[in-house]
Amino acid sequence: MSSASIARGDTIGVIGLGAMGEPMVRRLLAAGQPVVVTGRSARPALVAAGAVWAESPRELAARAGAVLSMLPDLPELEHALDGPEGMLAGLGGTELLLLVGSTSSATGVRALADRLAAATDGRVHVADCPVSGGVDGAEAGSLSIMLGGDAVDAARAATLLAPCGRAVHLGPLGAGEVAKACNQLVVAATITALGEATVLAERSGLDLEAMWTLLSGGYAGSNLLESRRDKLVRGDDSPSGIARYMIKDLGFAADVAVATGTDPALLPTLRAFFDEIVERGHGERDITVSRRVIAERSATR
C-alpha cells in the first residue's frame, strides 16, 4: 500500500512495536486497516505485510489521524511526543486521537491529556486503552481492551481497535488504567496462589498434571491457569509475562487504593512478594517464577 493512497483520517499510527505492538499491527493490517508505524529500528517484515514506515514520531503524527502507543509507559510516550522530531511537531493544524495502550497511572494519563489539550488548543484528544490477554491474545486478536475517555473518542477507539480484540468503554479518561490495575491485582494474586499450591502438591507427592487438569474444571480454573498450567507443571519460568513488570502495575493499583480511601488486604503482601522475586534475581523470568520463589523460601527456613 503506497503512502499516497492512504487518507490521514482513516489511518492509525502505531509506536511501540514490541511483544504486544507488533502482533496488534498485524491484526490491524489483516483487517484492511491502513497502518503507519515507527520505531527505533526499521521493520521490513511489517512493511512487507502492508504497513507504511515513518522515519520519526513527527512523520507518524503527520500521516495518521490516530496514534496507538504501545510504549512501556508514559515517560517513553512523552519523549516521543516532544522535541523537533516528536509527534506534536508533526501535528500541524489537524486533530489527533492519541490512544495510550500502556499500563500506566490513571492520574498520569489525565495530566498528560490536560497538557496536550493546552499545548494544542484542544486538537489532541486522549483515550486510555490498556489491554489484557498477553502475546497470545494479541496474535489471535482476542485482547480485552479497557477504554477510558470521552464517549466520542472511546467509540472511535473501539472501532479502530476492533481487529485486536473486544474493546469496552468503562468510564472517563483513566478508567481503562484503573481497570488494568484491578486486572493486574487479580493476576498477581492468582499466579502467586498457583505457584504456592503447586509447591504444596509436589511436596505432597501429587501428580501435578493430573491435579491441575482436574482443578481447572472447578472454581480454581481460570484463563491464567489454562495458559500457564504446563509451565507450572514443568517448573518452566522462561520469559513470557515478565515478573518485574508486576511491580509497576501493583504500584498503580496502590495509587488507586490511596485515591479511593481503600485499605487493601492482599495488595501489600503481593507487592512485597514481587519485590522479593526481583531481589532474588528472578525479575526477568515469567510470572510462573512464583513456584520457584515459594520453593526457595521454603528451602532457606
Side-chain angles (χ1 to χ4, degrees):
M1 183 182 296
S2 70
S3 59
S5 67
I6 302 176
R8 179 183 180 277
D10 298 331
T11 301
I12 184 169
V14 181
I15 185 169
L17 304 174
M20 297 295 290
E22 181 168 346
M24 290 176 74
V25 168
R26 293 188 179 278
R27 296 300 306 186
L28 292 166
L29 290 170
Q33 173 70 48
V35 182
V36 179
V37 298
T38 195
R40 288 177 295 182
S41 58
R43 295 299 182 97
L46 288 180
V47 173
V52 173
W53 180 256
E55 293 296 335
S56 66
R58 175 177 180 165
E59 184 181 346
L60 185 78
R63 292 189 175 200
V67 170
L68 169 65
S69 170
M70 294 304 296
L71 293 166
D73 202 355
L74 296 181
E76 293 84 356
L77 175 55
E78 298 262 14
H79 181 74
L81 284 163
D82 297 328
E85 292 302 315
M87 282 187 265
L88 294 182
L91 194 58
T94 57
E95 292 193 346
L96 178 73
L97 176 60
L98 179 62
L99 305 174
V100 181
S102 58
T103 300
S104 299
S105 161
T107 301
V109 169
R110 289 190 286 265
L112 173 64
D114 289 343
R115 177 176 83 84
L116 294 178
T120 65
D121 294 324
R123 285 179 288 115
V124 174
H125 301 247
V126 178
D128 52 313
C129 58
V131 302
S132 179
V135 175
D136 291 345
E139 292 174 345
S142 60
L143 293 171
S144 294
I145 305 171
M146 295 156 266
L147 286 175
D150 172 84
V152 173
D153 294 336
R156 185 177 174 209
T159 299
L160 288 169
L161 298 175
C164 299
R166 180 170 179 254
V168 176
H169 184 205
L170 298 171
L173 189 64
E177 299 296 355
V178 172
K180 184 60 186 287
C182 294
N183 180 85
Q184 295 304 88
L185 172 59
V186 173
V187 170
T190 303
I191 200 63
T192 301
L194 290 172
E196 193 164 302
T198 299
V199 173
L200 290 174
E202 180 187 41
R203 291 181 175 181
S204 299
L206 276 65
D207 181 324
L208 295 180
E209 175 67 33
M211 184 191 78
W212 284 128
T213 299
L214 176 65
L215 298 187
S216 66
Y219 284 156
S222 66
N223 287 341
L224 187 60
L225 174 55
E226 185 64 27
S227 71
R228 294 300 200 277
R229 180 173 59 198
D230 290 344
K231 291 174 78 72
L232 285 164
V233 169
R234 298 195 310 268
D236 173 14
D237 50 41
S238 56
S240 177
I242 304 300
R244 68 177 173 85
Y245 292 166
M246 195 63 76
I247 293 175
K248 178 191 76 168
D249 298 348
L250 293 174
F252 294 144
D255 292 343
V256 174
V258 171
T260 57
T262 303
D263 184 9
L266 272 177
L267 189 51
T269 299
L270 292 170
R271 294 185 74 187
F273 181 60
F274 278 88
D275 283 343
E276 181 181 346
I277 287 174
V278 173
E279 289 164 3
R280 288 177 177 268
H282 303 317
E284 300 301 319
R285 308 305 294 174
D286 184 73
I287 55 175
T288 52
V289 77
S290 60
R291 171 183 171 172
R292 184 202 296 224
V293 173
I294 294 296
E296 287 180 355
R297 296 171 93 223
S298 307
T300 56
R301 294 181 180 178

